[in-house]
Amino acid sequence: MLSLDFCGMAFGTPLVLLSGCVGFGEEYTRVQGFANSDAGAVCLKGTTLKPRLGNPPHRIAETWMGMLNAIGLQNPGARKVVDEYLPKLDFTETRFIANVCGSTVEEYEEVTRIFDDSPIDAMEINISCPNVKEGGVAFGNDPDMSARVVEACRRATQKPLIAKLSPNQTHIAENARRCIEAGSDALAVINTVMGMAIDVESRRPVIGNNQGGLSGPAIKPIALLKVHQVYQVAARHKVPIIGQGGITTAGDALEFLIAGATAVGIGTALFYDPLVCPKINSGIVEYLKRHQMAHVTGLTGTLRLYGDGGEECSG
């Protein structure tokens, strides 16, 4: 009931463990009862061409119903990940997806090429990275730059490419369209929402980078809307979506599937419940049985809107 085909990859369940939350695939295997096989795929930590030390502390701050993080893409570099980390993974357990990062279009292409020559199953393109040649503006906030990055990565591999879309932009559906036309096989919706926390005693930001990405239940309503908006474009091209942002229960996962996701990402929830995946899987199966549905894929995009579903003015 839970298995599915995602861009030619066989997923045992619709759950995907999100990049930055499970290290390079081995981090949670030390937890008794945890198994990578409870997820259809595991996204490895964001990887650049050369090693990076990341941002100064503090890097993480707990917020109301969420978490801010500004790790700064600390990683050992793509070549070391391929040579030393991937051989330790059991590719019979689940699918493993690399998370490709870069400061230039050329770096994205080179990292993709390195992972192409490896056992990795697919690549997620993190287009939320800052573009050093354009004053630090994130690639993912500009549809033209997003398309250029996807095109470059497409030149470097025939493996499935998943463009990870940022909510910090004006028109996410247009960006999705451009990424699809540039060669993205799937979309991950959404990345973190930018936010800040302030220490009132020192009157300084809590995060050493001043701002960070907000994840957790606080962003779930935003993520759901963005998945619904992107689905309007992706469905026409038969491009699947990994819906993500604040999923902690089976009910949350079901909402994302109904909104248009084919698979759903689990991230921040793992920090306080490493064994959450079996619970979510069981909840989805129970729902399918209760509604007499044979397969989880029958849920994707079944949202029924009121009226014309048009946008409303806020405030």
Side-chain angles (χ1 to χ4, degrees):
M1 299 179 81
L2 295 181
S3 62
L4 57 96
D5 179 284
F6 193 92
C7 296
M9 296 180 285
F11 281 15
T13 90
L15 306 190
V16 177
L17 305 188
L18 297 181
S19 177
C21 300
V22 288
F24 286 98
E26 81 300 334
E27 194 162 291
Y28 278 87
T29 58
R30 296 186 286 270
V31 177
Q32 185 174 0
F34 178 89
N36 280 328
S37 58
D38 288 327
V42 174
C43 288
L44 307 186
K45 195 177 188 308
T47 306
T48 51
L49 183 59
K50 296 180 179 179
R52 289 184 59 159
L53 292 175
N55 289 328
H58 292 297
R59 295 179 173 191
I60 293 176
E62 187 174 358
T63 63
W64 182 252
M65 295 298 290
M67 182 185 79
L68 283 171
N69 92 84
I71 305 300
L73 294 176
Q74 179 176 328
N75 75 94
R79 178 51 61 192
K80 186 168 184 177
V81 171
V82 169
D83 292 343
E84 299 184 21
Y85 288 74
L86 295 190
K88 300 176 183 177
L89 300 178
D90 183 354
F91 280 80
T92 66
E93 277 190 316
T94 188
R95 308 280 65 78
F96 289 99
I97 301 172
N99 182 276
V100 176
C101 304
S103 299
T104 65
V105 174
E106 293 77 15
E107 183 177 2
Y108 276 102
E109 184 171 0
E110 183 59 26
V111 174
T112 300
R113 186 169 287 110
I114 291 171
F115 277 118
D116 181 63
D117 187 23
S118 81
I120 209 74
D121 292 292
M123 281 164 261
E124 179 181 64
I125 311 171
N126 184 0
I127 52 177
S128 293
C129 297
N131 180 354
V132 297
K133 292 184 178 180
E134 299 293 337
V137 177
F139 288 97
N141 291 348
D142 181 334
D144 290 336
M145 287 306 305
S146 297
R148 283 185 57 193
V149 170
V150 173
E151 286 172 353
C153 295
R154 183 78 284 166
R155 289 194 296 268
T157 187
Q158 291 302 308
K159 293 184 178 184
L161 290 178
I162 306 163
K164 189 172 187 178
L165 302 184
S166 167
N168 307 301
Q169 58 179 303
T170 304
H171 201 320
I172 194 171
E174 172 61 14
N175 200 312
R177 182 184 68 81
R178 295 293 302 278
C179 287
I180 292 169
E181 291 176 351
S184 185
D185 301 293
L187 302 167
V189 186
I190 57 175
N191 207 332
T192 55
V193 179
M194 294 310 297
M196 177 182 279
I198 296 173
D199 182 328
V200 296
E201 296 302 323
S202 66
R203 296 180 231 170
R204 296 177 70 92
V206 175
I207 295 289
N209 192 54
N210 297 320
Q211 61 182 19
L214 177 66
S215 62
I219 72 168
K220 182 186 142 192
I222 299 170
L224 274 173
L225 177 60
K226 298 303 179 184
V227 167
H228 167 66
Q229 291 171 340
V230 169
Y231 179 70
Q232 310 311 306
V233 174
R236 293 197 293 270
H237 297 271
K238 297 183 179 179
V239 168
I241 297 169
I242 303 173
Q244 55 200 56
I247 297 173
T248 63
T249 67
D252 295 333
L254 289 164
E255 287 186 70
F256 276 86
L257 295 168
I258 292 166
T262 297
V264 293
I266 310 299
T268 305
L270 292 167
F271 295 150
Y272 57 85
D273 186 1
L275 306 183
V276 71
C277 289
K279 300 171 188 175
I280 294 176
N281 285 330
S282 295
I284 295 173
V285 169
E286 189 279 330
Y287 177 92
L288 293 174
K289 290 179 178 177
R290 180 156 45 89
H291 287 267
Q292 298 182 331
M293 301 181 71
H295 202 270
V296 67
T297 53
L299 278 173
T300 298
T302 55
L303 179 65
R304 295 178 293 173
L305 298 172
Y306 295 110
D308 61 7
E311 295 183 1
E312 296 287 344
C313 294
S314 62

